[in-house]
Structure formats: C-alpha cells, structure tokens
Amino acid sequence: MIDGSHLPYEENVALAKKVVEYAHQYDVTVEAELGVLAGVEDEVSAAESHYTKPEEVIDFATRTGCDSLAISIGTSHGAHKFTPEQCTLVNGVLVPPPLAFDILAEIEAKLPGFPIVLHGSSSVPQEEVETINKYGGALKAAIGIPEDQLRQASKSAVCKINIDSDSRLAMTAAVRKYLAENPSHFDPRQYLKPARENMKKMYIHKIVNVLGSDNKLG
C-alpha cells in the first residue's frame, strides 16, 4: 500500500508510479490511494475528507499502473469517524451519513473489473466501546460505518475493506475486562488469550456476516 492521497494530484501520481515500478520488479502488487480520508493513520493525518473524483480514476490507474485503488466515499480512519453533529439520531442511536455509493458506481463504470478498496471502514462495535468504558476507558462518541453499508459495498467492485480499528477495540475491551476481573494477574499470556479470542470472534462475524468472504479464496 502506498498512500500519497495527501499530496497534490501530480505528486500522488508520481509517487505511486515510482512504487509500482519498483514493486512490480519483484511481482509485488501495489494498492494506491486517490481521495483523502479524514482521521489519523500512522504518520498521515487529515482534518477533512475529500471524495475521490471519478473523472480522475482512469488517468490515475493508467499512469501509475497500480493493481488496486483505495477510494474515498465517506469512510474515515480511527474510532471517531464522525462527530455527533454529523449524525442523525434514530431511536436513540447516532447514525452517520451514508457512504457515497453514487461515486462508487461512477468509479466502477469508468474502471470495470478493477479492484477497489475501502480504508477506514471499521464499524466500531458499540458493545466493545461499552466494555472499554465500563472498565476504565474514555471513548466518547465513537461511531463507525454501519455494517449494512459494508455489506452493500462488498457486493460491488470493492474487494478489500480495512477494519483495523475494530480489531483494536475487540482486543482492548477483552484486556480491560480481564485485568479488572483479575487484578492480581500480570502475565501477558493470561490476558492476551481472551483478547485473541475476542478478536477471532469479531473477525469470524465480519467474514461470515458482513463482508461476504466466507469460504472464498483470492
């Protein structure tokens, strides 16, 4: 993965092309990114998101030679993807604005069959947030991408959906709960076992019930 989305367009093209030319020498595929996601990922951060422009995708994919393209249609990095003001209150639950499936459809039409990727797509399971907060955490207004929207995306050209924050939440919730209930324990092998099991449970749910990738290879 090479993320030059925070750079001006031509600099993003040049960086992605350089990485592709190097990686392809060793039969390594490259995922490039076009469009800016809000939030923080590693050392790259952005205060605002900017949707991918469908009119740029053909030029970008052709000139860079990338093998897959990560786009921006309303997802965001981290566990705090949206402010409460951006959401609608439905039956006491904050619902974030929908993903821009119209833009995804335009991109699919311009790049038929091309692998599309969604970064920043964690759903931020509220049960994990509640567990973290119950046992000493302070996650306020942590809101993610609704799973029904990820199900819809997985039926399109989107072939990869990044959900790293969900795994972090699952692990942290299990660790906090275990240590609170077993204050005399200090061996990582003790509290990491339930943490791994909770992550495994979360991944099984995502694979089988959300992403539609159960029993699929490649």
Side-chain angles (χ1 to χ4, degrees):
M1 293 189 292
I2 176 63
D3 181 8
S5 62
H6 56 290
L7 300 171
Y9 179 77
E10 288 297 331
E11 292 182 31
N12 188 7
V13 169
L15 175 61
K17 184 175 186 294
K18 181 179 180 181
V19 171
V20 167
E21 289 175 346
Y22 179 83
H24 281 186
Q25 296 178 70
Y26 303 96
D27 295 324
V28 174
T29 59
V30 176
E31 173 189 312
E33 190 162 348
L34 183 63
V36 180
L37 271 65
V40 179
E41 182 184 41
D42 299 326
E43 72 281 0
V44 178
S45 64
E48 297 181 356
S49 63
H50 300 282
Y51 288 161
T52 301
K53 298 177 182 177
E55 63 270 22
E56 293 179 344
V57 297
I58 295 176
D59 179 73
F60 186 85
T62 301
R63 289 172 61 192
T64 64
C66 64
D67 304 287
S68 62
L69 181 64
I71 63 171
S72 173
I73 59 171
T75 58
S76 179
H77 294 300
H80 298 84
K81 302 180 185 300
F82 309 97
T83 65
E85 292 73 24
Q86 292 175 293
C87 302
T88 303
L89 191 63
V90 179
N91 297 323
V93 178
L94 289 173
V95 178
L99 299 181
F101 285 103
D102 55 335
I103 291 178
L104 173 58
E106 285 189 64
I107 293 172
E108 285 184 284
K110 292 181 180 296
L111 293 174
F114 197 83
I116 301 299
V117 176
L118 293 183
H119 290 185
S121 297
S122 288
S123 298
V124 187
Q126 291 305 295
E127 63 272 19
E128 307 295 3
V129 173
E130 291 170 5
T131 298
I132 290 171
N133 290 339
K134 178 180 178 180
Y135 294 103
L139 291 178
K140 306 300 181 183
I143 304 167
I145 307 299
E147 289 187 341
D148 62 331
Q149 294 191 39
L150 298 181
R151 289 189 189 95
Q152 182 177 343
S154 69
K155 296 175 183 178
S156 67
V158 174
C159 63
K160 176 171 172 274
I161 296 177
N162 290 11
I163 56 171
D164 179 50
S165 290
D166 283 354
S167 64
R168 299 183 190 190
L169 290 167
M171 171 165 272
T172 298
V175 169
R176 281 190 174 275
K177 182 176 186 293
Y178 183 92
L179 291 177
E181 294 176 347
N182 301 275
S184 65
H185 290 189
F186 61 90
D187 189 336
R189 290 170 294 186
Q190 293 172 313
Y191 56 79
L192 288 181
K193 182 177 180 179
R196 289 193 299 268
E197 287 300 315
N198 204 36
M199 289 178 67
K200 179 181 177 180
K201 176 183 175 183
M202 185 275 296
Y203 283 126
I204 290 174
H205 165 67
K206 295 289 186 178
I207 291 169
V208 175
N209 301 316
V210 181
L211 305 179
S213 53
D214 189 28
N215 291 318
K216 293 182 180 179
L217 297 175

